[in-house]
Amino acid sequence: MLLWVSLLVLAPVSGQFATEPKSVIFLHSPWTTVFQGENVTLTCKAFHLDASEKIKWYRWYLLEKTQSETSGNTHEVHESGDYRCQAQDSPLSNRVGLLFSPANLILQSPLDVFEKESVILRCRAKANTVLKTIKLYKNGKVLEDHTVEIPVGMLTDFHIHQASLKDNGKYHCTGVKEDNELVSSNSVKIEVQELFPRPVLRASSTQPTEGGAVTLTCETQLSPQRPDVQLQFHFFRDRRSLGSGWRSSPEFWIHTIWRENSGSYWCQAQSMNPSVQKQSQRLQIQVKIPVSHPVLTLRAPRAQAVVGDVMELHCEAWRGSPPILYRFYHEDVSLESCSSPSERGGSCNLLLTAEHSGNYFCEADNGQGFQRSNTVSLTVRVPVSQPVLTLSAPRAQAVVGDMMELHCEAWRGSPPILYRFYHEDISLESCSSPSGMGGSCNLLLTAEHSGNYFCEANNGQGAQRSNTVSLTVRVPVSQPVLTLSAPRAQAVVGDMMELHCEAWRGSPPILYRFYHEDVSLESCSSPSGMGASCNLLLTAEHSGNYFCEADNGQGAQRSNTVLLTVRVPVSQPVLTLRAPRAQAVVGDMVELHCEAQGGSPPILYQFYHKDVAVGNRSAPLGGGASFNLSLTTKHSGNYSCKADNGLGVQQSEMMLLSVIVPVSRPILTLRAPRAQAVVGDVVELHCEAQRGSPPILYQFYHKNVTLESSMSHSGQGVSLNLSLTANHSGTYSCEADNGLGPQCSEAVTLSITGLTGSRSGPVATSVTGGLLSMMGLAAIALLFYCWLPRKAGRKPTFDSSRNPSASDPQEPTYHNVPSWIELQPVYSNVNPNRGDVVYSDVRTVKVENKQAAASDPELLKNTDSCVIYSQVKGAYTAAPKPQLLAASTPHR
């Protein structure tokens, strides 16, 4: 057991030690096929197996997996299936297939068959089975035939001596019973395995350095199923045995190896029982001698290397095993590799350029460690190339006041190099630059520094001159001056204004820009340096501040600001009359406002009434002006205004103002044919207001009841004629109104005396008698009902509402007074000859002429009137007075 473990540790695979081996199952007895009812003991062996460790067992049968666990490493089984075991911290073992057969005949074989082993195949019959003959088959062909009678329960062994690959195949056996019945066993597959693979010889180094040590290892791996087999090893160089012959260790140490020990090495591995021997491939070991310190030699055609020469670099190590590889380096950069198997060193040639100056060394390497030569310095002299002149300024365009650097540099040439600078063939300064980095000179630029420059470089092998470089020194523009030129001293809308901007100093081209209140107007470029101009056709919006900018790329300069005031002629003014009411009335305060919407201040406004100036006002800050009038009748008429700001006078449209005069208190005059009015007389009532703007509406009242209304459009009074009856006695008054408040006259009393025998007598008597003696309750109520609203609708003469002072002061007065339309009642007695009944026909008609209506009975024929029939009963009186109904009382 210890030997098996040690072999697992020592046996590397492919140069590497094997990982922890799998667990291994061993059989007791060794057969994989037994009869049902028998038992097989399985033993699990692992590398780290502890006696107290539990083992896991797995069985697969018909795709079903079962698991069990034992406290020891053995497990007794009696069921067919594939078995695997696993010790703690070890991989699972390979599968072991067991068959517990119910057949009468079985063929038993061992679990594993290895090369050169003797193998027994056992054909076994059941205890109650007697066979006359037994045959063994391999791949269907008979191998052996036992024709003697086989005792009951006996077995027959077939032997394979020194198994090899030719013995691989499927085996089974058959038997014939006494009754000639043929029985056949199970099939067994034999695969002969290698006991160990062909060994591989490995060396710690195949090219060891002379004097060093080398370890040889004969690597192979013994099958874990044969832990009790011992291996031994033998090592050889060419045909000579190394050491004392066979040894148990797979390693052989060569403590010191010399150059003559180079050769072909191999090994053999052999098992003791069975005797299996295998030989490795041959391994070439070449003992190397390290190279010595090489020597680098530079060989040139002259003492001083010059650009264009061919330089030979030769590197040689005086000792070392060939082949030797030589490498050349310039400033640690590899140049070329050369191999010299003749041991005479290596060489490389260089066609020298300026870049070849510097430090060189070489390396020699034969695989035993490289050696490096000492460093050799090489200086290659280079004539100067044409230098390059560079002008560097702090900005793209050189400007007066800048510091200009002139830098001259030859890209090729051995230092020291002398640099000279020239301006228009005049030397400026000489600079020596031993570092080979070029030379520089600084200039504080003025305008005179414009011109052509070049430089020279010289390192003693011939001067070289650069190309010419032109320099233009730009002069920044000075502050420009802005000039505004107009055709007159004062700029006016419509004038053509020229804006001229000019900088007195600055390199052209110069770009001029014009600005109005920081808004760009136009850009003008003047390459001649004579300034630039822009023209504007002036409008009112052109007033304001102007400035200009001049820019030639060296920084813009801004002029001072110039103020431009563009005068605007006044536009036609608008005259507005502002009164406290719509209709102007005598005594009102009226404001006349004149305003021109356009025009530069100050503006003088003049006000005119009928083309006569009535006043003027000045507006210094613009806007309009006002003039107030306290109205009288003289203020009626056309008004206008004028506006003037010195650039022309503009006049407004005419506006008509009508001043209304309130009516004065009218005078009522009664004109009768005699001193004492008598029934039947025709009396004229004349009402006239001495003052007041027409049209005037006049109304006559009898005992505060309206008799008639009449309109006067001429300003004259109006009259009303009455054919007197007894009822006309009483007080009369009149009222005048032109829309500004009514005025009432003084009351005048009319007394009627002395009745006559005229045609009106019977009618008056009949009406009066009927009214006094026959009027019923219903008629009285009806007449009272009709009379009361009219009475309530007209106010008495002394009613304060007729006083002009009570009128609304805000009453609009600017309007045409409409024609007065009044519904006048016309009365006529019907059926005057009946003493006990009075039929009164009351019609309301539209009256165009009030006086005509009072005298024309034809107007009573209106068929649209309402008619009221009333029967009045009462005592007869001899001399009744006619009753006069209110002229404007509505009757229904």
Side-chain angles (χ1 to χ4, degrees):
M1 182 66 181
L2 293 176
L3 177 61
W4 176 74
V5 173
S6 64
L7 288 175
L8 291 177
V9 174
L10 294 175
V13 179
S14 301
Q16 300 293 330
F17 287 105
T19 58
E20 184 177 351
K22 297 180 180 180
S23 301
V24 180
I25 296 179
F26 294 91
L27 304 181
H28 304 284
S29 60
W31 313 115
T32 58
T33 303
V34 297
F35 285 115
Q36 283 184 348
E38 295 179 340
N39 295 327
V40 176
T41 299
L42 306 180
T43 300
C44 186
K45 293 184 179 181
F47 181 69
H48 295 295
L49 186 58
D50 192 340
S52 62
E53 186 176 340
K54 292 184 178 181
I55 303 298
K56 293 181 180 179
W57 298 89
Y58 301 91
R59 172 179 173 264
W60 283 264
Y61 186 72
L62 299 178
L63 301 179
E64 181 179 353
K65 178 182 178 182
T66 59
Q67 180 179 344
S68 61
E69 189 174 82
T70 62
S71 58
N73 67 336
T74 61
H75 181 41
E76 190 174 90
V77 298
H78 55 272
E79 293 180 312
S80 297
D82 291 335
Y83 289 85
R84 299 179 77 176
C85 74
Q86 183 180 24
Q88 185 177 358
D89 299 329
S90 296
L92 274 170
S93 69
N94 292 331
R95 292 175 182 260
V96 174
L98 296 181
L99 175 62
F100 291 85
S101 176
N104 292 323
L105 183 65
I106 62 174
L107 179 62
Q108 294 179 314
S109 65
L111 176 62
D112 298 298
V113 177
F114 289 93
E115 57 185 342
K116 296 294 183 73
E117 289 184 341
S118 295
V119 181
I120 298 176
L121 298 179
R122 180 168 292 172
C123 190
R124 182 181 169 194
K126 257 186 182 181
N128 58 353
T129 301
V130 178
L131 301 176
K132 294 189 299 182
T133 61
I134 291 179
K135 293 180 181 181
L136 178 65
Y137 292 83
K138 176 187 177 184
N139 296 330
K141 295 182 179 180
V142 177
L143 288 180
E144 293 189 33
D145 186 0
H146 292 261
T147 58
V148 299
E149 183 175 338
I150 307 300
V152 175
M154 294 299 289
L155 48 84
T156 301
D157 289 341
F158 298 94
H159 295 271
I160 300 176
H161 302 283
Q162 292 188 345
S164 63
L165 295 179
K166 65 181 179 58
D167 297 315
N168 289 346
K170 287 186 178 182
Y171 294 81
H172 76 280
C173 64
T174 61
V176 179
K177 292 183 180 181
E178 292 179 342
D179 57 0
N180 294 324
E181 180 184 355
L182 180 65
V183 292
S184 182
S185 72
N186 56 292
S187 179
V188 173
K189 185 177 182 181
I190 299 297
E191 291 184 357
V192 180
Q193 304 177 48
E194 280 188 323
L195 185 61
F196 58 89
R198 182 178 182 179
V200 176
L201 179 63
R202 301 189 186 279
S204 58
S205 174
T206 59
Q207 292 184 340
T209 302
E210 187 178 43
V214 175
T215 301
L216 302 177
T217 303
C218 191
E219 294 183 357
T220 187
Q221 184 173 0
L222 188 66
S223 175
Q225 281 76 16
R226 295 294 182 264
D228 53 347
V229 175
Q230 294 184 359
L231 293 179
Q232 55 184 1
F233 304 92
H234 196 181
F235 295 88
F236 301 87
R237 183 185 73 241
D238 297 329
R239 296 183 180 182
R240 296 179 58 185
S241 174
L242 298 178
S244 57
W246 292 100
R247 54 197 299 139
S248 60
S249 174
E251 291 186 346
F252 184 83
W253 291 275
I254 303 175
H255 298 286
T256 303
I257 193 166
W258 302 104
R259 182 176 183 181
E260 55 269 19
N261 296 138
S262 299
S264 177
Y265 288 77
W266 52 282
C267 70
Q268 286 182 341
Q270 176 179 285
S271 63
M272 300 298 292
N273 186 20
S275 179
V276 177
Q277 188 179 92
K278 297 184 180 181
Q279 180 178 313
S280 72
Q281 296 280 356
R282 292 179 179 267
L283 177 65
Q284 296 295 327
I285 296 180
Q286 184 68 39
V287 180
K288 305 288 286 186
I289 298 175
V291 295
S292 62
H293 189 74
V295 176
L296 175 64
T297 305
L298 305 183
R299 300 170 183 172
R302 67 191 79 188
Q304 177 66 51
V306 179
V307 170
D309 290 347
V310 175
M311 173 72 71
E312 179 189 21
L313 286 75
H314 182 78
C315 185
E316 186 173 356
W318 299 107
R319 183 176 55 85
S321 299
I324 300 175
L325 180 67
Y326 292 97
R327 295 184 179 92
F328 297 88
Y329 294 87
H330 176 216
E331 302 295 350
D332 295 325
V333 177
S334 177
L335 294 177
E336 186 178 348
S337 296
C338 304
S339 177
S340 177
S342 64
E343 304 182 7
R344 299 193 58 166
S347 297
C348 286
N349 293 325
L350 295 177
L351 180 61
L352 294 181
T353 65
E355 290 74 19
H356 284 123
S357 293
N359 295 318
Y360 289 81
F361 64 89
C362 67
E363 284 182 352
D365 188 3
N366 66 347
Q368 306 305 311
F370 68 87
Q371 293 293 329
R372 176 173 171 172
S373 72
N374 293 327
T375 300
V376 179
S377 179
L378 172 65
T379 301
V380 181
R381 295 290 294 172
V382 181
V384 293
S385 60
Q386 183 185 26
V388 175
L389 176 62
T390 305
L391 306 183
S392 301
R395 66 193 83 193
Q397 179 66 52
V399 179
V400 168
D402 287 348
M403 183 64 71
M404 173 71 74
E405 180 189 34
L406 287 75
H407 183 77
C408 185
E409 185 171 358
W411 298 106
R412 182 171 50 82
S414 300
I417 302 175
L418 180 66
Y419 293 97
R420 292 185 177 89
F421 297 88
Y422 296 87
H423 176 215
E424 303 293 354
D425 296 325
I426 299 175
S427 178
L428 294 176
E429 184 179 349
S430 296
C431 304
S432 176
S433 174
S435 63
M437 298 301 293
S440 298
C441 287
N442 294 325
L443 295 178
L444 183 62
L445 295 180
T446 64
E448 290 73 21
H449 282 121
S450 294
N452 295 317
Y453 290 79
F454 66 89
C455 68
E456 283 183 352
N458 192 352
N459 67 345
Q461 299 181 13
Q464 293 289 334
R465 175 174 171 171
S466 71
N467 292 328
T468 300
V469 178
S470 178
L471 173 65
T472 301
V473 182
R474 300 276 297 169
V475 180
V477 295
S478 59
Q479 184 183 27
V481 175
L482 176 63
T483 305
L484 275 62
S485 301
R488 66 190 86 187
Q490 178 64 50
V492 179
V493 169
D495 288 349
M496 183 64 73
M497 172 71 72
E498 180 190 35
L499 287 75
H500 183 77
C501 186
E502 185 171 357
W504 299 106
R505 180 172 54 83
S507 300
I510 302 175
L511 179 67
Y512 291 95
R513 295 185 179 91
F514 296 86
Y515 294 87
H516 175 214
E517 301 295 349
D518 296 324
V519 177
S520 178
L521 292 177
E522 185 178 350
S523 297
C524 304
S525 177
S526 175
S528 64
M530 297 300 293
S533 299
C534 286
N535 295 324
L536 295 177
L537 183 61
L538 295 181
T539 65
E541 290 73 20
H542 284 121
S543 292
N545 293 316
Y546 288 79
F547 65 89
C548 67
E549 282 183 353
D551 189 1
N552 66 347
Q554 312 306 317
Q557 293 291 331
R558 176 172 170 172
S559 71
N560 293 328
T561 300
V562 177
L563 176 64
L564 172 64
T565 301
V566 181
R567 298 280 295 168
V568 181
V570 294
S571 60
Q572 182 182 26
V574 175
L575 179 64
T576 306
L577 274 65
R578 299 171 181 171
R581 67 193 84 197
Q583 178 65 48
V585 179
V586 170
D588 287 348
M589 182 64 70
V590 174
E591 177 189 18
L592 281 74
H593 183 79
C594 187
E595 184 172 357
Q597 298 299 319
S600 301
I603 301 174
L604 177 65
Y605 291 96
Q606 292 182 311
F607 298 87
Y608 293 86
H609 178 215
K610 299 178 181 179
D611 297 329
V612 176
V614 295
N616 58 71
R617 295 288 187 271
S618 178
L621 300 179
S626 298
F627 185 79
N628 295 328
L629 293 175
S630 181
L631 295 180
T632 66
T633 55
K634 295 180 180 180
H635 287 125
S636 293
N638 291 321
Y639 286 82
S640 65
C641 67
K642 293 180 180 179
D644 185 7
N645 66 346
L647 301 176
V649 180
Q650 293 290 333
Q651 183 170 355
S652 71
E653 298 288 339
M654 290 289 185
M655 175 171 282
L656 176 63
L657 173 65
S658 297
V659 182
I660 303 298
V661 180
V663 295
S664 60
R665 189 170 187 178
I667 298 173
L668 178 63
T669 305
L670 274 67
R671 299 171 182 169
R674 64 194 81 198
Q676 179 62 47
V678 178
V679 172
D681 287 346
V682 175
V683 176
E684 176 188 11
L685 283 72
H686 182 79
C687 186
E688 184 174 357
Q690 299 300 317
R691 180 171 51 83
S693 299
I696 301 174
L697 176 67
Y698 289 96
Q699 297 191 74
F700 295 90
Y701 296 91
H702 177 218
K703 299 179 181 179
N704 295 326
V705 177
T706 302
L707 293 177
E708 184 178 351
S709 297
S710 181
M711 182 70 72
S712 172
H713 294 277
S714 62
Q716 302 295 320
V718 298
S719 298
L720 173 64
N721 294 325
L722 293 177
S723 180
L724 296 181
T725 66
N727 292 331
H728 284 133
S729 294
T731 60
Y732 287 82
S733 64
C734 69
E735 187 179 83
D737 189 1
N738 66 346
L740 300 178
Q743 293 290 331
C744 190
S745 69
E746 294 289 341
V748 177
T749 302
L750 175 62
S751 298
I752 301 173
T753 60
L755 297 176
T756 66
S758 68
R759 58 183 174 86
S760 62
V763 175
T765 302
S766 175
V767 171
T768 302
L771 289 174
L772 294 177
S773 61
M774 301 302 294
M775 183 178 297
L777 181 60
I780 294 174
L782 180 61
L783 292 175
F784 182 77
Y785 171 78
C786 294
W787 171 80
L788 184 58
R790 181 60 183 170
K791 186 67 176 180
R794 300 303 301 177
K795 297 180 181 180
T797 303
F798 53 82
D799 192 341
S800 64
S801 65
R802 295 178 184 155
N803 195 325
S805 63
S807 62
D808 185 358
Q810 300 301 321
E811 177 79 8
T813 58
Y814 281 77
H815 60 270
N816 292 327
V817 179
S819 299
W820 292 90
I821 300 175
E822 183 73 21
L823 296 179
Q824 288 290 344
V826 179
Y827 304 95
S828 174
N829 288 330
V830 182
N831 195 14
N833 298 322
R834 297 283 300 270
D836 55 349
V837 177
V838 177
Y839 295 90
S840 296
D841 183 8
V842 183
R843 292 183 175 91
T844 302
V845 298
K846 182 176 180 181
V847 179
E848 297 296 336
N849 190 322
K850 299 301 175 64
Q851 294 180 356
S855 60
D856 190 0
E858 290 296 321
L859 293 175
L860 300 179
K861 296 180 181 181
N862 190 332
T863 60
D864 293 333
S865 61
C866 298
V867 179
I868 299 176
Y869 299 92
S870 61
Q871 183 179 12
V872 182
K873 297 180 180 182
Y876 176 77
T877 56
K881 296 181 179 180
Q883 185 71 28
L884 180 64
L885 297 179
S888 62
T889 302
H891 294 271
R892 293 291 185 269

